[in-house]
Amino acid sequence: MRGLAVTSPLPPASAARRRNGTSIPSSRKSVSQCWKYGFSQDQLLGGSLRIGQSHGSLQGHRSANLFRPAAVAISVEQDEVNTYLPKGDMWSVHKFGGTCMGTPQRIQSVADIVLGDSSERKLIIVSAMSKVTDMMYNLVHKAQSRDDLYTIALEEVYEKHMAAAKDLLDGEDLARFLAQLHSDVSNLRAMLRAIFIAGHATESFSDFVVGHGELWSAQMLSYAIKKSGAPCSWMDTREVLVVKPSGSNQVDPDYVESEKRLQKWFSRQPDEIIVATGFIASTAENIPTTLKRDGSDFSAAIIGSLVRARQVTIWTDVDGVFSADPRKVCEAVILSTLSYQEAWEMSYFGANVLHPRTIIPVMKDNIPIVIRNMFNISAPGTMICKQPANENADLDACVKAFATIDNLALVNVEGTGMAGVPGTSSAIFSAVKDVGANVIMISQASSEHSVCFAVPEKEVAAVSSALHLKFREALAAGRLSKIEVINGCSILAAVGLRMASTPGVSAILFDALAKANINVRAIAQGCSEYNITVVLKQEDCVRALRAAHSRFFLSKTTLAVGIIGPGLIGGTLLNQLRDQAAVLKENLNVDLRVMGITGSSIMLLSDTGIDLTQWNELLQKEAEPADLATFARHLSDNHLFPNKVLVDCTADTNVASHYYDWLKKGIHVITPNKKANSGPLDRVLAPFSSSHNDTLLSCVFVKKYLKLRTLQRASYTHYFYEATVGAGLPIISTLRGLLETGDKILRIEGIFSGTLSYIFNSFEGTRTFSDVVAEAKEAGYTEPDPRDDLSGTDVARKVIILARESGLKLELSDIPVKSLVPEALATCSSADEFMQRLPSFDQDWAKQRSDAEAAGEVLRYVGVVDAVNKKGQVELRRYKRDHPFAQLSGSDNIIAFTTSRYKEQPLIVRGPGAGAEVTAGGVFCDILRLASYLGAPS
Ligand SMILES: NC(=O)C1=CN([C@@H]2O[C@H](COP(=O)(O)OP(=O)(O)OC[C@H]3O[C@@H](n4cnc5c(N)ncnc54)[C@H](O)[C@@H]3O)[C@@H](O)[C@H]2O)C=CC1
Ligand SMILES: N[C@@H](CC=O)C(=O)O
Ligand code: NA
């Protein structure tokens, strides 16, 4: 006889049909599920009494063996094992979990995915429809708790599958499936009744009941595939997969026996597409069992190994394996590849990758496992395979992923009596074993003075008592000083095969943790170097995970940016960042994230970066009251990003007074605001003033210019302010270049005010002076208050900035300034009032202009740094029409550097020196200068 020799009673006639509906020749006849697994017809159908009778008295119903199904010997005749099972590259194995099989529509999508795979042969492993396994366990639970609602629960299971099948199938296939479902449910009803009466179900009874979820989903899928005309059969893996129990809640596959049975199975059903039940298997004695946790993945891996598949694809609802839990780290990325060992480590450390057991069957044959998203089939997923040889081996790529485990306790056993005493560790861990606790990590310093290890928090009380008992005498004698329990711990593990023998990886990790102010309580790294494990306080764990992840996964030049003052310049800068950020990331690996925007009354904060396409709307809609200290803290406390920069786009003295503290905290500062660099040189108890007309606000100690510059020079925190002079023109950088290369500045002279340049370039007799001033304001050249320009203060500030850059210790008050603000308007209470009253002075201006014109001259407002005489000067001068200063147009600045090297002909920089785009562009340049200082490619 070929096929399976079954020694149990013959099955009922209806069960002698194959589950795909075709008749089985009697010589190969298989048996229905229940018969095959040894439950007698009476046991299943005859209700409680007969079950009780057949197993002895009901009093004994709690006995473990009461419902142990009688073993049915299924013997495979050696001579019948043939080579029907084709193996190798032609096979692709797919596994679809419960979510993928959740609805009839999803089952149809699964069928489409299977049909879309062009592999010669396909083996599809399916889980039960989502929630069905829980529903089945619940049936057993209810029945054995003698809750007669199990009948209703069974009806629900029946209804669910009936409805799904009616949606998915039609015609004869539907009728066959429904008949089978009906028969299975009748059998289950009888079994559950028996369980209800006995008040107990053995594990194999329970496994038998639960396994129906897979039986039904596999049949439904195979019918759905067949509907498209593709040859497809379904496999009850309990006929094929043989496993043996191995310790608690685990089984080991019997590959030899399973392969024999698989051969046999194929000899009967050689279809090219086979849908097989995941999760279920049988013992060598044909008792139904399951593959326990993550059973369907395990089924796929075992079957993949049995057929030597070219690939096993595990379909799920995520795009692949993330570099860290994406719920905790929004920057987590999908990994394209993981080695088997890395996946293993990740799973161990709590990442929902694959159960480590799942990897073993495929690993031995080097079969890749691909994790893919069935709801996003365009995502390539993560391939778990042998470590690709050519993978990028740079330092940062050494760490593949991070995982965490929470709710741990650290146990620290300490004492001088431990050193050099063989057997101490053995005694410690045997005590731990005796209470059945699971040791997650162990660390012992080479001094042998202490051993510490982590266990789940819920197990630590038992561990602690066991240790106190075991070491009672050692503690009393002082050989052990303490057995200490530290609750509330978590583990953070960095995983990566290439960490092995790569110097510097742990330094980067610990540096990231240190910068995030995370205290590391214990460390472990085995010789394999596949993972570095650190124990830390649970409350620090997410912060630690983010800090470590960002250090390894973000660009080194990721800059967290805070924008203060989203006015004309700040707003234009935000728009420029919006338009250029993607290009910078792509071309220069510079990742700019605006983490906050604050005005004087409202601020907008983000943990990962504001969407700049709608920064203004977000600022209006989602803002909170502005608070500069909170704003700065938001940036400095964000440990995701190692580099932080505050960009001050206000004209505010108060904001400028914080630069020192920000720099001290490691926050870089960039600004077009001239207040800090033209403020008092020294630290004095000084009045500090508002942004425009230096109105006295209060008296405070402010960190002064010299202190700021000393700090700037002493630290690696950067302070850039190119746009404070000449807006986007390279004035500060040119001056720095001259000085740093050893040139000597003799004189810097020029037109430093875009506003005043525009005014005198445009004031040619056609428009009034006040009209031209209004135009300059409208064009965005003026300071927030145009009196700062007309008073000469703005030019004086620029002269001071350049003078100090050149080494002169001048105060603003040292610069004689010729103010253009008529004395009568000096006391105007607002810029608006000033602008309204300005026309009354147009006559005076018209006269000054025509006087100059009559002499063949023009009016120009100039600033001078006289480095030789250590003086500065700001005044309105008349220049001949052919003088270079007379040739300007628009808001042009012109700055002439006379130096030891540029003595005969000064070095001249000329161009628009005010306006939103050029100024914001200058600030943006400083941000990129910072990025390049931090390591961005040039
Ligand atoms: N307009 C130009 O061509 C140039 C301007 N600059 C400088 O750029 C800076 C900004 O100028 P604009 O954008 O034209 O001025 P603006 O008045 O348009 O913008 C300043 C912004 O800062 C905000 N602000 C004021 N005090 C604040 C505080 N304490 N906290 C938070 N926000 C505050 C204001 O509400 C406003 O939104 C000034 O320092 C100016 O000297 C530098 C070079 C050229
Ligand atoms: N208001 C200033 C702007 C640049 O600093 C000017 O007019 O130059
Ligand atoms: Na500049």
Side-chain angles (χ1 to χ4, degrees):
M1 189 176 91
R2 291 167 67 86
L4 303 173
V6 180
T7 58
S8 65
L10 273 174
S14 67
R17 297 180 72 77
R18 277 168 58 185
R19 283 185 183 264
N20 60 10
T22 54
S23 290
I24 304 167
S26 61
S27 61
R28 296 185 187 174
K29 203 167 280 175
S30 181
V31 287
S32 80
Q33 305 307 314
C34 42
W35 289 102
K36 206 181 308 162
Y37 294 104
F39 309 124
S40 78
Q41 193 169 14
D42 279 355
Q43 279 171 334
L44 291 170
L45 305 175
S48 61
L49 226 120
R50 268 183 275 171
I51 289 172
Q53 282 165 347
S54 64
H55 285 281
S57 102
L58 273 175
Q59 268 77 40
H61 71 264
R62 295 254 166 235
S63 114
N65 284 327
L66 183 60
F67 281 116
R68 186 179 156 76
V72 178
I74 301 179
S75 64
V76 178
E77 292 157 23
Q78 275 308 314
D79 58 347
E80 292 187 31
V81 173
N82 50 39
T83 52
Y84 275 95
L85 170 59
K87 286 186 187 171
D89 267 6
M90 75 276 286
W91 280 107
S92 75
V93 171
H94 296 263
K95 178 256 162 172
F96 293 91
T99 318
C100 302
M101 300 290 289
T103 61
Q105 295 71 30
R106 289 188 188 175
I107 298 177
Q108 186 54 54
S109 306
V110 168
D112 295 341
I113 290 175
V114 171
L115 291 163
D117 175 354
S118 57
S119 306
E120 219 173 298
R121 285 174 167 266
K122 291 166 268 191
L123 228 156
I124 320 304
I125 315 290
V126 290
S127 301
M129 290 180 78
S130 68
K131 302 203 177 74
V132 167
T133 303
D134 286 346
M135 289 168 98
M136 301 304 276
Y137 274 121
N138 188 36
L139 289 180
V140 178
H141 173 74
K142 279 201 160 67
Q144 64 181 351
S145 325
R146 298 223 166 96
D147 176 352
D148 55 15
L149 288 180
Y150 78 86
T151 52
I152 294 173
L154 179 61
E155 276 315 298
E156 281 169 13
V157 170
Y158 184 34
E159 294 289 334
K160 183 178 172 97
H161 288 86
M162 202 154 54
K166 283 182 180 166
D167 232 346
L168 188 66
L169 311 172
D170 42 40
E172 252 188 65
D173 288 346
L174 175 62
R176 281 191 194 118
F177 178 79
L178 290 182
Q180 185 63 58
L181 179 68
H182 181 78
S183 145
D184 290 344
V185 169
S186 303
N187 288 344
L188 285 174
R189 198 174 291 118
M191 285 187 85
L192 291 165
R193 175 78 184 143
I195 294 170
F196 177 86
I197 290 168
H200 178 70
T202 60
E203 195 182 328
S204 43
F205 250 70
S206 168
D207 285 351
F208 179 78
V209 172
V210 171
H212 278 76
E214 273 73 15
L215 295 174
W216 296 325
S217 63
Q219 288 171 76
M220 279 197 280
L221 178 61
S222 80
Y223 283 129
I225 293 172
K226 267 173 69 179
K227 229 169 105 174
S228 70
C232 177
S233 45
W234 79 279
M235 173 194 283
D236 175 351
T237 38
R238 291 177 303 187
E239 291 175 29
V240 172
L241 274 191
V242 179
V243 295
K244 44 182 180 277
S246 62
S248 80
N249 215 26
Q250 282 200 11
V251 291
D252 279 338
D254 179 341
Y255 287 102
V256 176
E257 183 56 27
S258 300
E259 193 165 338
K260 278 185 201 160
R261 293 191 183 193
L262 195 58
Q263 290 274 16
K264 205 80 206 164
W265 196 93
F266 274 105
S267 70
R268 288 184 283 123
Q269 274 147 280
D271 285 341
E272 281 153 25
I273 307 176
I274 291 149
V275 181
T277 53
F279 183 56
I280 55 178
S282 67
T283 65
E285 299 78 33
N286 301 308
I287 309 290
T289 186
T290 70
L291 300 183
K292 316 299 174 201
R293 222 198 102 188
D294 298 306
S296 295
D297 291 348
F298 199 20
S299 310
I302 300 168
I303 291 191
S305 155
L306 290 173
V307 298
R308 310 281 187 277
R310 63 175 179 80
Q311 180 171 299
V312 173
T313 307
I314 309 268
W315 293 88
T316 171
D317 56 357
V318 288
D319 283 350
V321 180
F322 281 92
S323 52
D325 184 341
R327 289 163 305 182
K328 295 175 182 163
V329 182
C330 57
E331 310 286 329
V333 292
I334 297 284
L335 302 168
S336 57
T337 59
L338 265 183
S339 69
Y340 295 120
Q341 287 90 343
E342 286 163 340
W344 204 328
E345 295 282 346
M346 288 290 290
S347 315
Y348 178 78
F349 284 102
N352 193 13
V353 183
L354 283 179
H355 193 279
R357 267 182 322 137
T358 311
I359 298 166
I360 302 168
V362 286
M363 196 172 157
K364 68 183 173 56
D365 296 317
N366 277 342
I367 298 168
I369 300 187
V370 182
I371 314 276
R372 289 192 63 185
N373 188 353
M374 104 148 227
F375 306 102
N376 179 18
I377 51 175
S378 61
T382 301
M383 179 177 283
I384 300 171
C385 54
K386 207 173 140 204
Q387 175 82 5
N390 59 351
E391 201 167 88
N392 184 359
D394 75 31
L395 201 58
D396 290 355
C398 289
V399 173
K400 272 290 186 59
F402 293 91
T404 55
I405 312 180
D406 287 335
N407 302 319
L408 300 179
L410 207 54
V411 181
N412 183 28
V413 183
E414 210 171 298
T416 42
M418 288 168 64
V421 180
T424 311
S425 302
S426 156
I428 292 172
F429 293 109
S430 81
V432 177
K433 176 183 162 278
D434 290 347
V435 295
N438 185 25
V439 177
I440 315 273
M441 64 79 79
I442 306 171
S443 166
Q444 182 189 339
S446 60
S447 70
E448 301 178 47
H449 191 76
S450 72
V451 175
C452 80
F453 56 94
V455 292
E457 210 164 16
K458 61 182 181 335
E459 290 167 5
V460 77
V463 169
S464 170
S465 332
L467 289 173
H468 276 97
L469 195 64
K470 186 146 214 157
F471 293 102
R472 207 174 42 229
E473 284 170 15
L475 282 164
R479 277 179 279 120
L480 279 192
S481 54
K482 62 176 172 188
I483 296 169
E484 180 191 18
V485 169
I486 304 157
N487 278 304
C489 292
S490 289
I491 273 180
L492 167 72
V495 169
L497 212 59
R498 289 189 187 275
M499 288 186 334
S501 341
T502 308
V505 185
S506 48
I508 294 174
L509 173 66
F510 289 109
D511 180 56
L513 296 179
K515 287 208 168 116
N517 200 22
I518 307 281
N519 187 30
V520 173
R521 311 209 70 143
I523 305 167
Q525 181 192 320
C527 298
S528 70
E529 301 179 57
Y530 297 159
N531 91 66
I532 302 172
T533 302
V534 295
V535 180
L536 22 89
K537 273 199 274 176
Q538 184 155 329
E539 69 211 54
D540 289 343
C541 189
V542 172
R543 212 153 49 85
L545 176 66
R546 289 180 182 166
H549 186 275
S550 65
R551 181 61 191 82
F552 283 95
F553 281 85
L554 293 181
S555 149
K556 259 195 227 89
T557 43
T558 298
L559 267 174
V561 184
I563 304 280
I564 307 170
L568 181 67
I569 305 304
T572 308
L573 174 65
L574 282 161
N575 292 339
Q576 290 181 356
L577 288 168
R578 174 198 63 202
D579 297 341
Q580 193 62 9
V583 177
L584 290 172
K585 197 165 175 189
E586 179 68 24
N587 296 351
L588 292 180
N589 199 21
V590 172
D591 187 357
L592 300 175
R593 310 281 182 98
V594 177
M595 315 296 288
I597 302 172
T598 184
S600 42
S601 57
I602 52 171
M603 67 181 178
L604 174 69
L605 305 178
S606 158
D607 283 335
T608 50
I610 293 166
D611 172 6
L612 293 186
T613 60
Q614 42 175 340
W615 67 264
N616 212 349
E617 294 86 321
L618 293 172
L619 183 61
Q620 302 315 318
K621 270 195 251 140
E622 293 176 17
E624 52 192 277
D627 179 74
L628 198 54
T630 310
F631 188 78
R633 217 176 311 116
H634 172 72
L635 204 71
S636 67
D637 285 357
N638 187 322
H639 301 295
L640 265 183
F641 307 107
N643 309 305
K644 296 130 201 214
V645 56
L646 279 168
V647 184
D648 170 20
C649 295
T650 72
D652 194 3
T653 307
N654 181 36
V655 175
S657 73
H658 289 89
Y659 296 172
Y660 181 90
D661 292 331
W662 294 338
L663 289 167
K664 194 108 189 143
K665 284 191 182 131
I667 304 176
H668 309 286
V669 176
I670 289 171
T671 189
N673 179 358
K674 299 149 204 127
K675 297 293 158 57
N677 282 10
S678 58
L681 279 168
D682 281 319
R683 185 177 189 270
V684 284
L685 180 66
F688 89 79
S689 53
S690 80
S691 57
H692 57 269
N693 56 0
D694 298 309
T695 316
L696 181 71
L697 283 181
S698 61
C699 282
V700 287
F701 272 116
V702 230
K703 307 288 184 325
K704 296 298 170 192
Y705 176 81
L706 289 177
K707 201 154 179 214
L708 186 61
R709 293 303 305 272
T710 309
L711 176 65
Q712 182 195 12
R713 284 286 147 96
S715 77
Y716 288 91
T717 312
H718 302 287
Y719 172 43
F720 297 138
Y721 39 84
E722 177 60 85
T724 55
V725 183
L729 296 179
I731 307 298
I732 306 280
S733 51
T734 300
L735 178 54
R736 282 275 180 97
L738 295 170
L739 289 165
E740 283 165 11
T741 57
D743 203 352
K744 281 214 162 34
I745 302 298
L746 304 175
R747 186 179 176 85
I748 306 170
E749 181 174 2
I751 292 177
F752 294 110
S753 167
T755 301
L756 297 178
S757 179
Y758 178 83
I759 290 172
F760 291 113
N761 294 337
S762 314
F763 183 43
E764 288 177 317
T766 50
R767 279 111 76 213
T768 63
F769 184 79
S770 59
D771 279 347
V772 179
V773 174
E775 282 169 25
K777 186 171 186 316
E778 187 58 30
Y781 302 148
T782 65
E783 292 303 293
D785 185 330
R787 283 173 292 179
D788 281 347
D789 299 288
L790 287 168
S791 66
T793 311
D794 180 70
V795 175
R797 290 190 183 282
K798 289 164 179 166
V799 165
I800 283 289
I801 292 170
L802 296 180
R804 288 177 179 177
E805 287 293 317
S806 311
L808 307 188
K809 292 210 168 77
L810 293 179
E811 293 282 10
L812 202 53
S813 54
D814 295 331
I815 311 283
V817 177
K818 165 82 180 98
S819 172
L820 305 185
V821 176
E823 249 182 69
L825 300 188
T827 53
C828 284
S829 60
S830 71
D832 284 347
E833 188 195 338
F834 170 77
M835 292 300 287
Q836 272 164 24
R837 292 176 57 190
L838 193 59
S840 52
F841 296 87
D842 282 343
Q843 295 267 316
D844 299 350
W845 280 108
K847 181 168 184 326
Q848 281 204 54
R849 193 200 71 78
S850 55
D851 286 355
E853 193 176 50
E857 290 172 345
V858 294
L859 296 171
R860 292 294 181 259
Y861 199 84
V862 295
V864 177
V865 176
D866 180 350
V868 177
N869 297 303
K870 299 188 171 41
K871 286 193 315 199
Q873 203 180 338
V874 171
E875 58 187 15
L876 183 67
R877 286 188 186 161
R878 283 165 46 162
Y879 288 89
K880 287 285 171 207
R881 282 218 158 266
D882 58 356
H883 190 277
F885 286 10
Q887 315 299 316
L888 306 182
S889 63
S891 69
D892 276 359
N893 281 191
I894 184 164
I895 291 109
F897 296 93
T898 306
T899 72
S900 306
R901 289 179 196 151
Y902 294 93
K903 208 166 184 174
E904 306 309 321
Q905 291 291 332
L907 186 162
I908 291 178
V909 180
R910 175 191 156 169
E917 291 293 339
V918 294
T919 308
V923 178
F924 199 169
C925 256
D926 271 352
I927 297 177
L928 294 186
R929 191 186 320 243
L930 172 64
S932 77
Y933 274 42
L934 297 171
S938 56

